[in-house]
Amino acid sequence: MTSYPLTWLYVPGDRPHVVAKALAAGADVVVIDLEDAVAPDRKEYARAATAERLGEPQPVPVHVRVNALDGPWAAADLTALATLPGVSGLRLPKVTSPGQIRQVAVATPVPLYALLESALGIEHAFAIATAHPSLRGVSLGEADLRADLGVRADAGLDWPRSRVVVAARAAGLAPPPQSVHPDIRDLDGLATSCARGRILGFLGRAAIHPRQLPVIERAYLPTSAEIEAAETIIKAAATNEGAQALPDGRFVDAAVVAAQRTLSLGRSR
């Protein structure tokens, strides 16, 4: 079955000792950040330290968030990192057009992930999601998006959130993970926000501190009741041809994909 990461732990690229700790923190994916978490005068050091770390395979998948593609550092980031054996993916920030994805894809064999962080990026969500086979996922960068839209309350982001979920699924990509919850002390708020994200169709979440990881995992792992229901759906689909009504009124053929995902998550933990 397909494996679905639930936790994506961001760590600053200019702090190698923190990167080492992050790799042992239990996240499904570690994201070394060369962009927002690194000051301009530390960019070259962060790139070099990251390249040194990722010169060999890592114990968990490692993605690198490079700098903005239209800025002065991205080209050097891509040149230094794109072919290293420890890089499992490149996360491209502030993507606004499919052309940006295609331009990077022709120069690197690494799977790509687009971050949509502006109104223009949201408007082009499906075009970006289908830009190139190397693109494996899309997600939101909510801090910049919130500023671009002038949103004052969290509910103001519900439409862009749904837009990126729909774009990802329409493109055949995995459901996107939620953006980070910035208050690392507010674990109750994180849990509540994750529950809301799950309702909207997200799967998993980015984190900025290891203490957030178990909260995210608990929120997104299926319950025993959900696993039991999924097993019922898969069993019915295997023994009956065509659409088959379940006791709760659902039809098997419409529920099989979600059931398979639920079982995959339940069996992977």
Side-chain angles (χ1 to χ4, degrees), residues 1-4 260-261 264-265 268:
M1 287 188 176
T2 302
S3 175
Y4 294 97
Q260 290 172 335
R261 186 188 308 152
S264 178
L265 287 169
S268 65

Side-chain angles (χ1 to χ4, degrees), residues 160-211:
R161 289 166 176 162
S162 292
R163 178 70 177 270
V164 76
V165 168
V166 171
R169 301 306 295 139
L173 302 175
Q178 279 184 275
S179 186
V180 299
H181 185 73
D183 188 342
I184 63 173
R185 297 166 298 181
D186 181 22
L187 299 183
D188 289 339
L190 172 61
T192 299
S193 177
C194 287
R196 174 65 175 160
R198 194 176 182 196
I199 289 171
L200 290 173
F202 289 97
L203 183 62
R205 188 162 200 166
I208 53 175
H209 195 281
R211 69 167 60 111

Side-chain angles (χ1 to χ4, degrees), residues 6 22 31 34 53 87-88 107 154 165 196 198 201 204 207 209 218-219 225 245 252 262 269:
L6 294 183
V31 183
L34 303 183
R53 160 67 66 175
V87 178
S88 298
D154 192 67
V165 168
R196 174 65 175 160
R198 194 176 182 196
H209 195 281
R218 282 196 301 270
V252 168
T262 297
R269 295 305 199 274

Side-chain angles (χ1 to χ4, degrees), residues 8 13 31 54 63-64 71 80 101-102 114 122 124 148 159 161 197 200 232 242 244 268:
W8 312 69
V31 183
L54 301 182
H63 292 189
V64 180
I101 302 299
R102 289 191 287 266
I122 296 300
H124 292 164
D148 190 39
W159 186 85
R161 289 166 176 162
L200 290 173
T232 299
Q244 181 75 19
S268 65

Side-chain angles (χ1 to χ4, degrees), residues 19-110:
V19 172
K21 291 180 179 179
L23 291 169
D28 294 327
V29 180
V30 170
V31 183
I32 299 179
D33 189 10
L34 303 183
E35 194 213 11
D36 286 345
V38 178
D41 63 351
R42 299 273 290 175
K43 296 289 187 183
E44 291 188 8
Y45 171 72
R47 183 190 306 121
T50 300
E52 181 178 1
R53 160 67 66 175
L54 301 182
E56 59 186 18
Q58 299 299 304
V60 298
V62 177
H63 292 189
V64 180
R65 179 165 73 171
V66 299
N67 285 282
L69 299 178
D70 60 355
W73 299 293
D77 292 345
L78 294 170
T79 298
L81 301 167
T83 60
L84 296 181
V87 178
S88 298
L90 293 174
R91 304 186 75 79
L92 310 179
K94 300 177 175 61
V95 174
T96 58
S97 73
Q100 292 174 302
I101 302 299
R102 289 191 287 266
Q103 183 177 3
V104 175
V106 298
T108 174
V110 180

